[in-house]
Amino acid sequence: MEHIIPLTKNGNNDIENLALACFHCNRNKFDKTRAIDAQSDVEVPLFNPRQDSCSEHFIWSWGGDKDA
Ligand SMILES: [Zn+2]
């Protein structure tokens, strides 16, 4: 279970703040809530599965080719 806003940053255990994540994604996110966007080089909020649209942020790519 992933805390979208980490408990260390005043997040809570309410359902609106929780998301399912695999071990690797949960560990990689750690307590981050923002990151540098690789295309714009600007700091942005991380994807929030409770508020943001998957189709606006992700595309499916067979074989994992990020440039597809
Ligand atoms: Zn994952």
Coordinates of all heavy atoms in Angstrom, one line a residue:
M1 N 0.8 -1.2 0.0 CA 0.0 0.0 0.0 C 0.9 1.2 0.0 O 1.8 1.3 0.8 CB -0.9 0.0 1.2 CG -2.0 1.0 1.2 SD -3.2 0.8 -0.2 CE -3.9 -0.8 0.2
E2 N 0.6 2.2 -0.9 CA 1.4 3.4 -1.0 C 0.6 4.6 -0.4 O -0.6 4.7 -0.7 CB 1.6 3.6 -2.5 CG 2.2 5.0 -2.8 CD 3.7 5.1 -2.3 OE1 4.4 4.1 -2.3 OE2 4.0 6.2 -1.8
H3 N 1.3 5.4 0.3 CA 0.7 6.6 0.8 C 1.0 7.7 -0.2 O 2.2 8.0 -0.5 CB 1.3 7.0 2.2 CG 0.8 6.2 3.3 ND1 1.4 5.0 3.6 CD2 -0.3 6.3 4.1 CE1 0.7 4.4 4.6 NE2 -0.3 5.2 4.9
I4 N 0.0 8.3 -0.9 CA 0.3 9.3 -1.9 C 1.0 10.5 -1.3 O 2.0 10.9 -1.8 CB -1.1 9.7 -2.6 CG1 -1.7 8.5 -3.3 CG2 -0.9 10.8 -3.5 CD1 -3.1 8.6 -3.7
I5 N 0.4 11.0 -0.2 CA 1.1 12.0 0.6 C 1.7 11.2 1.8 O 1.0 10.6 2.6 CB 0.2 13.1 1.2 CG1 -0.5 13.8 0.0 CG2 1.0 14.1 2.0 CD1 0.4 14.5 -1.0
P6 N 3.0 11.1 1.9 CA 3.6 10.2 2.9 C 3.2 10.6 4.3 O 3.0 11.8 4.6 CB 5.1 10.4 2.7 CG 5.3 11.0 1.3 CD 4.0 11.7 1.1
L7 N 3.2 9.6 5.2 CA 2.9 9.9 6.6 C 3.9 10.9 7.2 O 3.6 11.8 8.0 CB 3.0 8.6 7.5 CG 1.9 7.6 7.1 CD1 2.1 6.3 7.9 CD2 0.5 8.2 7.3
T8 N 5.2 10.9 6.7 CA 6.2 11.8 7.2 C 6.0 13.2 6.7 O 6.7 14.1 7.2 CB 7.6 11.3 6.7 OG1 7.6 11.3 5.3 CG2 8.0 10.0 7.3
K9 N 5.1 13.4 5.7 CA 4.7 14.7 5.3 C 3.3 15.0 5.6 O 2.6 15.7 4.8 CB 5.0 14.9 3.8 CG 6.5 14.7 3.5 CD 6.8 14.9 2.0 CE 8.4 14.8 1.8 NZ 8.8 14.9 0.4
N10 N 2.8 14.6 6.7 CA 1.5 14.8 7.2 C 0.4 14.2 6.4 O -0.8 14.6 6.4 CB 1.2 16.3 7.4 CG 2.1 17.0 8.4 OD1 2.4 16.4 9.4 ND2 2.6 18.2 8.1
G11 N 0.7 13.1 5.7 CA -0.3 12.3 5.0 C -1.0 11.5 6.1 O -0.7 11.5 7.2
N12 N -2.1 10.8 5.6 CA -2.8 10.0 6.6 C -3.2 8.6 6.0 O -2.8 8.3 4.9 CB -4.1 10.7 7.0 CG -4.9 11.1 5.8 OD1 -5.2 10.3 5.0 ND2 -5.4 12.3 5.8
N13 N -3.9 7.8 6.7 CA -4.3 6.5 6.3 C -5.7 6.5 5.7 O -6.3 5.4 5.5 CB -4.2 5.5 7.4 CG -2.8 5.2 7.8 OD1 -1.9 5.0 7.0 ND2 -2.5 5.2 9.1
D14 N -6.3 7.6 5.4 CA -7.6 7.7 4.7 C -7.5 7.1 3.3 O -6.5 7.2 2.7 CB -8.1 9.1 4.6 CG -8.4 9.7 6.0 OD1 -8.4 9.0 7.0 OD2 -8.6 11.0 6.0
I15 N -8.6 6.5 2.9 CA -8.6 5.8 1.6 C -8.2 6.7 0.5 O -7.5 6.3 -0.5 CB -10.0 5.1 1.3 CG1 -9.9 4.1 0.1 CG2 -11.0 6.1 1.1 CD1 -9.1 2.9 0.4
E16 N -8.5 8.0 0.6 CA -8.2 8.9 -0.5 C -6.7 9.2 -0.6 O -6.2 9.7 -1.6 CB -8.9 10.3 -0.2 CG -10.4 10.2 -0.3 CD -11.0 9.7 0.9 OE1 -10.4 9.6 2.0 OE2 -12.2 9.3 0.9
N17 N -5.9 8.7 0.4 CA -4.5 8.9 0.4 C -3.7 7.6 0.1 O -2.5 7.6 0.2 CB -4.0 9.6 1.7 CG -2.6 10.0 1.6 OD1 -2.2 10.6 0.6 ND2 -1.8 9.8 2.6
L18 N -4.4 6.6 -0.2 CA -3.8 5.3 -0.4 C -4.0 4.8 -1.8 O -5.0 5.1 -2.5 CB -4.4 4.2 0.6 CG -4.3 4.5 2.1 CD1 -5.0 3.5 2.9 CD2 -2.8 4.6 2.5
A19 N -3.0 4.1 -2.3 CA -3.0 3.5 -3.6 C -2.2 2.2 -3.6 O -1.2 2.1 -2.9 CB -2.4 4.5 -4.7
L20 N -2.7 1.3 -4.5 CA -1.9 0.0 -4.6 C -0.7 0.3 -5.4 O -0.7 1.0 -6.4 CB -2.8 -1.0 -5.3 CG -4.0 -1.5 -4.5 CD1 -4.8 -2.5 -5.3 CD2 -3.6 -2.1 -3.1
A21 N 0.4 -0.3 -5.0 CA 1.7 -0.2 -5.7 C 2.5 -1.4 -5.5 O 2.4 -2.0 -4.4 CB 2.4 1.1 -5.3
C22 N 3.2 -1.8 -6.5 CA 4.1 -3.0 -6.3 C 5.3 -2.5 -5.4 O 5.5 -1.4 -5.2 CB 4.6 -3.5 -7.7 SG 5.9 -2.5 -8.4
F23 N 6.0 -3.5 -5.0 CA 7.1 -3.3 -4.1 C 8.1 -2.3 -4.7 O 8.5 -1.4 -4.0 CB 7.8 -4.6 -3.7 CG 9.1 -4.5 -3.0 CD1 9.1 -4.3 -1.6 CD2 10.3 -4.5 -3.7 CE1 10.3 -4.1 -1.0 CE2 11.5 -4.4 -3.0 CZ 11.5 -4.2 -1.6
H24 N 8.4 -2.5 -5.9 CA 9.5 -1.7 -6.6 C 9.0 -0.2 -6.7 O 9.8 0.7 -6.4 CB 9.9 -2.2 -7.9 CG 10.4 -3.6 -7.8 ND1 11.6 -3.9 -7.3 CD2 9.9 -4.8 -8.1 CE1 11.9 -5.2 -7.3 NE2 10.8 -5.8 -7.8
C25 N 7.8 0.0 -7.1 CA 7.2 1.4 -7.3 C 7.1 2.0 -5.9 O 7.5 3.2 -5.7 CB 5.9 1.4 -8.0 SG 6.0 0.9 -9.7
N26 N 6.6 1.3 -4.9 CA 6.5 1.8 -3.6 C 7.8 2.3 -3.0 O 8.0 3.4 -2.5 CB 5.8 0.8 -2.7 CG 5.5 1.3 -1.3 OD1 6.4 1.7 -0.6 ND2 4.2 1.3 -1.0
R27 N 8.8 1.4 -3.2 CA 10.2 1.7 -2.7 C 10.8 2.9 -3.5 O 11.5 3.7 -2.9 CB 11.0 0.5 -2.8 CG 12.3 0.6 -2.1 CD 13.0 -0.8 -2.0 NE 14.3 -0.6 -1.5 CZ 15.0 -1.6 -1.0 NH1 14.6 -2.8 -1.0 NH2 16.2 -1.3 -0.5
N28 N 10.6 2.9 -4.8 CA 11.2 4.0 -5.6 C 10.6 5.3 -5.3 O 11.3 6.3 -5.2 CB 11.0 3.7 -7.1 CG 11.8 4.6 -7.9 OD1 12.9 4.9 -7.7 ND2 11.2 5.1 -9.0
K29 N 9.3 5.4 -5.0 CA 8.6 6.6 -4.7 C 9.1 7.1 -3.3 O 9.3 8.3 -3.1 CB 7.1 6.5 -4.7 CG 6.4 7.8 -4.4 CD 4.9 7.6 -4.3 CE 4.2 8.9 -3.7 NZ 4.5 9.1 -2.3
F30 N 9.2 6.2 -2.4 CA 9.6 6.5 -1.0 C 8.7 7.6 -0.5 O 7.5 7.4 -0.4 CB 11.1 6.8 -1.0 CG 11.7 7.0 0.3 CD1 11.5 6.0 1.3 CD2 12.5 8.1 0.7 CE1 12.1 6.1 2.6 CE2 13.0 8.2 1.9 CZ 12.8 7.2 2.9
D31 N 9.3 8.7 -0.1 CA 8.5 9.8 0.5 C 8.4 11.0 -0.4 O 8.0 12.1 0.0 CB 9.0 10.2 1.9 CG 10.3 10.9 1.8 OD1 11.0 10.8 0.7 OD2 10.7 11.6 2.8
K32 N 8.7 10.8 -1.7 CA 8.6 11.9 -2.7 C 7.2 12.2 -3.1 O 6.3 11.3 -3.1 CB 9.4 11.5 -4.0 CG 10.9 11.3 -3.7 CD 11.6 11.0 -5.0 CE 11.4 9.7 -5.6 NZ 12.2 8.6 -5.2
T33 N 6.9 13.5 -3.3 CA 5.6 13.9 -3.8 C 5.8 14.7 -5.1 O 4.9 15.0 -5.8 CB 4.9 14.8 -2.8 OG1 5.7 15.9 -2.5 CG2 4.5 14.0 -1.5
R34 N 7.1 15.1 -5.4 CA 7.4 15.9 -6.6 C 8.7 15.3 -7.3 O 9.5 14.7 -6.6 CB 7.6 17.3 -6.3 CG 6.4 18.0 -5.5 CD 6.7 19.4 -5.1 NE 6.8 20.3 -6.3 CZ 5.7 20.8 -7.0 NH1 4.5 20.5 -6.6 NH2 5.9 21.5 -8.1
A35 N 8.8 15.6 -8.5 CA 10.0 15.1 -9.3 C 10.2 16.1 -10.4 O 9.4 16.8 -10.8 CB 9.9 13.7 -9.7
I36 N 11.4 16.0 -11.0 CA 11.7 16.7 -12.2 C 11.2 16.0 -13.4 O 11.5 14.9 -13.7 CB 13.3 16.9 -12.3 CG1 13.9 17.6 -11.1 CG2 13.6 17.7 -13.6 CD1 13.4 19.0 -10.9
D37 N 10.4 16.7 -14.2 CA 9.9 16.2 -15.4 C 11.0 16.1 -16.5 O 11.7 17.1 -16.7 CB 8.7 17.1 -16.0 CG 8.1 16.6 -17.3 OD1 8.7 16.9 -18.3 OD2 7.1 15.9 -17.2
A38 N 11.2 14.9 -17.1 CA 12.3 14.7 -18.0 C 12.2 15.5 -19.2 O 13.2 15.8 -19.9 CB 12.4 13.2 -18.3
Q39 N 11.0 15.9 -19.7 CA 10.8 16.6 -20.9 C 11.0 18.1 -20.7 O 11.6 18.8 -21.5 CB 9.5 16.3 -21.6 CG 9.4 14.9 -22.1 CD 8.1 14.6 -22.7 OE1 7.1 15.2 -22.4 NE2 8.1 13.6 -23.6
S40 N 10.4 18.6 -19.6 CA 10.4 20.1 -19.4 C 11.5 20.5 -18.5 O 11.8 21.7 -18.4 CB 9.0 20.5 -18.8 OG 8.8 20.0 -17.5
D41 N 12.1 19.6 -17.7 CA 13.1 19.9 -16.7 C 12.6 20.8 -15.6 O 13.3 21.5 -15.0 CB 14.3 20.5 -17.4 CG 15.6 20.3 -16.6 OD1 15.7 19.2 -16.0 OD2 16.5 21.2 -16.6
V42 N 11.3 20.7 -15.4 CA 10.6 21.5 -14.4 C 10.1 20.5 -13.3 O 9.6 19.4 -13.6 CB 9.4 22.3 -15.0 CG1 8.5 22.9 -13.9 CG2 9.9 23.3 -16.0
E43 N 10.2 21.0 -12.0 CA 9.7 20.1 -10.9 C 8.1 20.1 -11.0 O 7.5 21.2 -11.0 CB 10.2 20.7 -9.6 CG 9.8 19.8 -8.4 CD 10.3 20.2 -7.1 OE1 9.6 21.1 -6.5 OE2 11.4 19.8 -6.7
V44 N 7.6 18.9 -10.9 CA 6.1 18.8 -11.0 C 5.7 17.8 -9.9 O 6.4 17.0 -9.4 CB 5.7 18.3 -12.4 CG1 6.0 19.3 -13.4 CG2 6.3 17.0 -12.7
P45 N 4.4 17.8 -9.5 CA 3.8 16.8 -8.6 C 3.9 15.5 -9.3 O 3.7 15.3 -10.5 CB 2.4 17.3 -8.4 CG 2.3 18.6 -9.0 CD 3.4 18.8 -10.0
L46 N 4.1 14.4 -8.5 CA 4.0 13.1 -9.0 C 2.6 12.7 -9.3 O 1.6 13.3 -8.8 CB 4.5 12.1 -7.9 CG 6.0 12.1 -7.6 CD1 6.3 11.1 -6.5 CD2 6.8 11.9 -8.9
F47 N 2.4 11.8 -10.2 CA 1.1 11.3 -10.6 C 0.3 10.9 -9.4 O 0.8 10.1 -8.5 CB 1.2 10.1 -11.6 CG -0.1 9.5 -12.0 CD1 -0.9 10.2 -12.9 CD2 -0.5 8.3 -11.4 CE1 -2.1 9.6 -13.3 CE2 -1.7 7.8 -11.8 CZ -2.5 8.4 -12.8
N48 N -0.9 11.4 -9.3 CA -1.8 11.0 -8.1 C -2.9 10.2 -8.7 O -3.8 10.7 -9.4 CB -2.4 12.3 -7.5 CG -3.2 11.9 -6.3 OD1 -3.9 10.9 -6.2 ND2 -3.2 12.8 -5.3
P49 N -2.9 8.9 -8.4 CA -3.9 8.0 -9.0 C -5.3 8.3 -8.5 O -6.3 7.8 -9.1 CB -3.5 6.6 -8.6 CG -2.6 6.8 -7.4 CD -2.0 8.1 -7.6
R50 N -5.5 9.0 -7.5 CA -6.8 9.4 -6.9 C -7.3 10.6 -7.6 O -8.5 10.9 -7.5 CB -6.7 9.6 -5.4 CG -6.4 8.4 -4.6 CD -7.5 7.5 -4.5 NE -7.2 6.3 -3.7 CZ -8.0 5.3 -3.5 NH1 -9.2 5.3 -4.1 NH2 -7.7 4.3 -2.8
Q51 N -6.5 11.4 -8.3 CA -6.9 12.7 -8.8 C -6.6 12.8 -10.3 O -7.4 13.5 -11.0 CB -6.3 13.9 -8.1 CG -6.6 13.9 -6.6 CD -5.9 15.0 -5.9 OE1 -4.9 15.6 -6.4 NE2 -6.2 15.3 -4.7
D52 N -5.5 12.2 -10.8 CA -5.1 12.4 -12.2 C -5.6 11.3 -13.1 O -5.9 10.2 -12.6 CB -3.5 12.5 -12.2 CG -3.0 13.6 -11.4 OD1 -3.7 14.7 -11.3 OD2 -1.9 13.5 -10.8
S53 N -5.6 11.6 -14.4 CA -6.1 10.7 -15.4 C -5.0 9.9 -15.9 O -4.0 10.5 -16.5 CB -6.8 11.5 -16.5 OG -7.0 10.6 -17.6
C54 N -5.1 8.6 -15.9 CA -4.0 7.7 -16.5 C -3.8 8.0 -17.9 O -2.7 8.1 -18.4 CB -4.4 6.2 -16.3 SG -4.1 5.6 -14.6
S55 N -4.9 8.2 -18.7 CA -4.8 8.3 -20.1 C -4.1 9.7 -20.5 O -3.6 9.8 -21.6 CB -6.2 8.3 -20.8 OG -7.0 9.3 -20.3
E56 N -4.1 10.6 -19.6 CA -3.4 11.9 -19.9 C -1.9 11.8 -19.5 O -1.1 12.7 -19.9 CB -4.0 13.0 -19.1 CG -5.4 13.3 -19.5 CD -6.1 14.5 -18.7 OE1 -5.4 15.2 -18.0 OE2 -7.3 14.6 -18.8
H57 N -1.5 10.8 -18.8 CA -0.1 10.7 -18.3 C 0.7 9.5 -18.8 O 1.9 9.5 -18.7 CB -0.1 10.7 -16.7 CG -0.6 12.0 -16.1 ND1 0.3 13.0 -15.8 CD2 -1.8 12.4 -15.8 CE1 -0.4 14.0 -15.3 NE2 -1.7 13.7 -15.3
F58 N 0.0 8.5 -19.3 CA 0.7 7.2 -19.6 C 0.2 6.8 -21.0 O -0.9 7.0 -21.4 CB 0.4 6.1 -18.6 CG 0.9 6.5 -17.2 CD1 -0.1 6.9 -16.3 CD2 2.2 6.5 -16.9 CE1 0.3 7.2 -15.0 CE2 2.6 6.8 -15.6 CZ 1.7 7.1 -14.6
I59 N 1.1 6.1 -21.7 CA 0.7 5.4 -22.9 C 1.2 3.9 -22.8 O 2.2 3.7 -22.1 CB 1.3 6.0 -24.2 CG1 2.9 6.0 -24.1 CG2 0.8 7.4 -24.4 CD1 3.5 6.4 -25.4
W60 N 0.5 3.0 -23.4 CA 0.9 1.6 -23.4 C 2.0 1.5 -24.5 O 1.9 2.0 -25.6 CB -0.2 0.7 -23.7 CG 0.2 -0.7 -23.7 CD1 0.4 -1.5 -24.7 CD2 0.4 -1.5 -22.5 NE1 0.8 -2.7 -24.3 CE2 0.8 -2.7 -22.9 CE3 0.4 -1.2 -21.1 CZ2 1.2 -3.8 -22.0 CZ3 0.7 -2.2 -20.2 CH2 1.1 -3.5 -20.7
S61 N 3.0 0.7 -24.2 CA 4.1 0.5 -25.1 C 4.5 -1.0 -25.0 O 5.1 -1.4 -24.0 CB 5.3 1.4 -24.8 OG 6.4 1.1 -25.6
W62 N 4.2 -1.7 -26.0 CA 4.7 -3.1 -26.0 C 6.2 -3.2 -26.0 O 6.8 -2.5 -26.8 CB 4.2 -3.9 -27.3 CG 2.7 -4.0 -27.3 CD1 1.8 -3.3 -28.0 CD2 1.9 -4.9 -26.5 NE1 0.5 -3.7 -27.7 CE2 0.5 -4.7 -26.8 CE3 2.2 -5.9 -25.6 CZ2 -0.5 -5.4 -26.2 CZ3 1.2 -6.6 -25.0 CH2 -0.2 -6.4 -25.3
G63 N 6.7 -4.0 -25.1 CA 8.2 -4.2 -25.1 C 8.9 -3.1 -24.3 O 10.1 -3.1 -24.2
G64 N 8.2 -2.1 -23.8 CA 8.8 -1.1 -22.9 C 9.6 -0.1 -23.6 O 10.4 0.6 -23.0
D65 N 9.3 0.2 -24.9 CA 10.1 1.2 -25.7 C 9.5 2.5 -25.3 O 8.4 2.9 -25.8 CB 10.0 0.9 -27.2 CG 10.8 1.9 -27.9 OD1 11.4 2.9 -27.3 OD2 11.0 1.7 -29.2
K66 N 10.2 3.3 -24.6 CA 9.7 4.6 -24.1 C 9.5 5.6 -25.3 O 8.8 6.6 -25.1 CB 10.6 5.2 -23.0 CG 12.0 5.6 -23.6 CD 12.8 6.3 -22.5 CE 14.1 6.7 -23.1 NZ 15.0 7.3 -22.2
D67 N 10.2 5.4 -26.4 CA 10.1 6.3 -27.5 C 9.0 5.9 -28.5 O 8.8 6.5 -29.5 CB 11.4 6.4 -28.2 CG 12.5 7.0 -27.3 OD1 12.1 8.0 -26.5 OD2 13.6 6.6 -27.3
A68 N 8.3 4.8 -28.2 CA 7.3 4.3 -29.2 C 6.1 5.2 -29.3 O 5.8 6.0 -28.4 CB 6.8 2.9 -28.8
Ligands
ZN1 ZN 5.3 -1.1 -9.9

